Amino acid sequence: DGGITQSPKYLFRKEGQNVTLSCEQNLNHDAMYWYRQDPGQGLRLIYYSQIVNDFQKGDIAEGYSVSREKKESFPLTVTSAQKNPTAFYLCASSIGPTLGETQYFGPGTRLLVL
Amino acid sequence: KQEVTQIPAALSVPEGENLVLNCSFTDSAIYNLQWFRQDPGKGLTSLLLIQSSQREQTSGRLNASLDKSSGRSTLYIAASQPGDSATYLCAVKETSGSRLTFGEGTQLTVNP
């Protein structure tokens, strides 16, 4: 089955720790995205990548980092600089960066601070 | 900067009722608008996508309309069922760039 997988489902972060959220897709999509969702709010864009080895900051990139070394993988690292990391993180992909294409979403990772 | 607003934030209806969810956006220069469904603790599922040149899209009991000039879209759900209970989000894609701007969502509860 084609789709987007995110792991882990739940992640706990200690003070000062960096943690990495995994996102993998087997849809052969060029573009991938990371969003953050807080309770009662819409999704906010953290980073996006339109092609391998290239990525751009979204609206709330501070305290986060990404890499795009492979087409199918777009991991997100939440660094210690992110002071309020507790949220639901969603990864998405689309066929390409051109306009009008639907984004497909993974099941999400919930990050909690210990 | 594009802003997307959804009203109401929460809605509770009895089973069988027809209902309308509203979405408004501040910049009418959009390329398309999309409605998503999100179940608790899950990712988003695309329901309907309306291109800027279209007025509406239909899928089963769902009908989405778009009025670009007034910056509004509605999602109409006919004969609601308990299984329709979820949060519904709208998102607009702007003419330039590839990002989506999301509303805060409407949390729908359909009571048996």
Side-chain angles (χ1 to χ4, degrees):
Chain A
D1 283 338
I4 303 176
T5 58
Q6 291 185 242
S7 62
K9 186 173 181 179
Y10 296 96
L11 185 58
F12 298 91
R13 194 191 91 163
K14 294 180 182 178
E15 198 75 32
Q17 187 182 37
N18 292 353
V19 292
T20 297
L21 285 62
S22 169
C23 178
E24 303 276 333
Q25 54 97 1
N26 61 3
L27 300 168
N28 201 32
H29 286 174
D30 283 318
M32 297 186 74
Y33 312 82
W34 273 106
Y35 294 92
R36 170 179 172 142
Q37 186 178 33
D38 292 283
Q41 297 188 30
L43 279 64
R44 292 183 290 168
L45 183 64
I46 305 173
Y47 268 99
Y48 64 102
S49 168
Q50 296 179 330
I51 198 166
V52 175
N53 293 321
D54 186 52
F55 49 83
Q56 289 81 38
K57 293 182 179 180
D59 299 320
I60 55 165
E62 186 175 350
Y64 300 97
S65 66
V66 294
S67 63
R68 186 83 187 279
E69 297 176 3
K70 298 186 297 182
K71 187 176 185 178
E72 55 272 21
S73 179
F74 191 40
L76 173 74
T77 296
V78 183
T79 74
S80 58
Q82 173 49 245
K83 299 306 180 187
N84 184 24
T86 297
F88 190 51
Y89 291 86
L90 287 160
C91 178
S93 71
S94 62
I95 292 175
T98 55
L99 301 176
E101 289 163 344
T102 299
Q103 290 186 14
Y104 296 87
F105 284 79
T109 291
R110 188 165 300 280
L111 177 60
L112 301 166
V113 177
L114 293 177
Chain B
K1 180 185 174 186
Q2 179 74 266
E3 293 183 3
V4 180
T5 304
Q6 291 187 244
I7 295 173
L11 182 63
S12 181
V13 301
E15 182 177 3
E17 193 163 295
N18 301 328
L19 58 99
V20 174
L21 307 180
N22 297 292
C23 173
S24 61
F25 45 95
T26 54
D27 187 345
S28 62
I30 65 168
Y31 191 81
N32 64 36
L33 183 144
Q34 200 163 358
W35 283 93
F36 292 89
R37 171 185 170 135
Q38 185 178 30
D39 292 294
K42 306 287 186 182
L44 277 64
T45 301
S46 178
L47 297 173
L48 291 164
L49 185 150
I50 313 176
Q51 302 293 353
S52 64
S53 58
Q54 297 175 321
R55 298 282 295 182
E56 64 178 337
Q57 281 286 336
T58 299
S59 175
R61 293 182 294 108
L62 306 179
N63 175 276
S65 67
L66 175 63
D67 185 343
K68 243 179 60 166
S69 61
S70 67
R72 294 183 180 179
S73 175
T74 61
L75 179 66
Y76 175 83
I77 302 177
S80 58
Q81 303 170 358
D84 295 330
S85 297
T87 296
Y88 292 81
L89 297 106
C90 71
V92 300
K93 177 168 279 191
E94 297 174 2
T95 302
S96 62
S98 63
R99 61 179 58 197
L100 288 173
T101 302
F102 284 84
E104 308 92 341
T106 293
Q107 185 175 359
L108 173 66
T109 303
V110 180
N111 301 299

